[in-house]
Amino acid sequence: MDWANTAAGTAAGGAGLLLAALGTALAVQRLRHDARLRRLRAHGITAEAEVLETHRSTHRHAETRQVHTDRRAVLGFRTADRLPVRVEDDGDTPRAVGDRVEVRYPPGRPEDALPADAVDRPRHVAALATFGALTGAAALIAAGALIAAFGVALATGGVLP
């Protein structure tokens, strides 16, 4: 048995499985997000929120050294029961302190509120984003499966079970 090929095959197989797992996780996350938006559109309770504060978070990518800045806004609103709620909006819509924003939240879970402009995006925009995410996930899964198969073949000397 050639231990170098076995080790390389095992490493390639593991890398392939990791890629496939990443693709699967990406697909599941996107489908869950889409389901959440559908539930909010269908059953969400609306409330008017106010932008209480805004801030930016900046971080540097470890490998590329590129700096990325995220804008965030803290939205405050009251539920139908008059309970105060604060949520963070990390969407791409610029907001200023004092702005009024409509939010939607699931019944009984106001801490899961999202701005209505994010929930009510045109269907074709959401469909394109989902299509792109699922296509990328499928590519990761396929690449992972191919790399894993190559790793098995390399580890077993070309003899596949």
Side-chain angles (χ1 to χ4, degrees), residues 21-143:
L22 179 64
T24 302
L26 177 65
V28 167
Q29 185 272 340
R30 184 62 204 193
L31 292 172
R32 289 183 74 195
H33 179 72
D34 287 352
R36 177 183 180 199
L37 293 181
R38 278 193 306 278
R39 282 191 305 274
L40 281 174
R41 279 192 292 272
H43 307 292
I45 299 169
T46 59
E48 184 167 317
E50 180 179 351
V51 177
L52 302 175
E53 62 183 84
T54 62
H55 58 275
R56 294 175 188 245
S57 64
T58 304
H59 56 277
R60 180 182 302 269
H61 191 274
E63 293 175 8
T64 63
R65 301 280 190 227
Q66 291 179 336
V67 176
H68 182 73
T69 302
D70 292 326
R71 278 187 214 170
R72 297 182 182 268
V74 176
L75 308 176
F77 67 96
R78 291 192 180 273
T79 64
D81 302 345
R82 307 295 301 152
L83 296 172
V85 179
R86 290 170 61 108
V87 294
E88 194 165 286
D89 172 25
D90 58 358
D92 12 337
T93 305
R95 308 211 190 271
V97 173
D99 285 353
R100 297 284 183 188
V101 179
E102 185 178 349
V103 294
R104 290 183 190 237
Y105 62 92
R109 305 237 354 148
E111 65 276 3
D112 290 341
L114 289 176
D117 56 7
V119 174
D120 297 331
R121 281 197 177 116
R123 302 265 196 234
H124 67 278
V125 172
L128 284 174
T130 298
F131 178 74
L134 293 180
T135 301
L140 285 173
I141 292 169

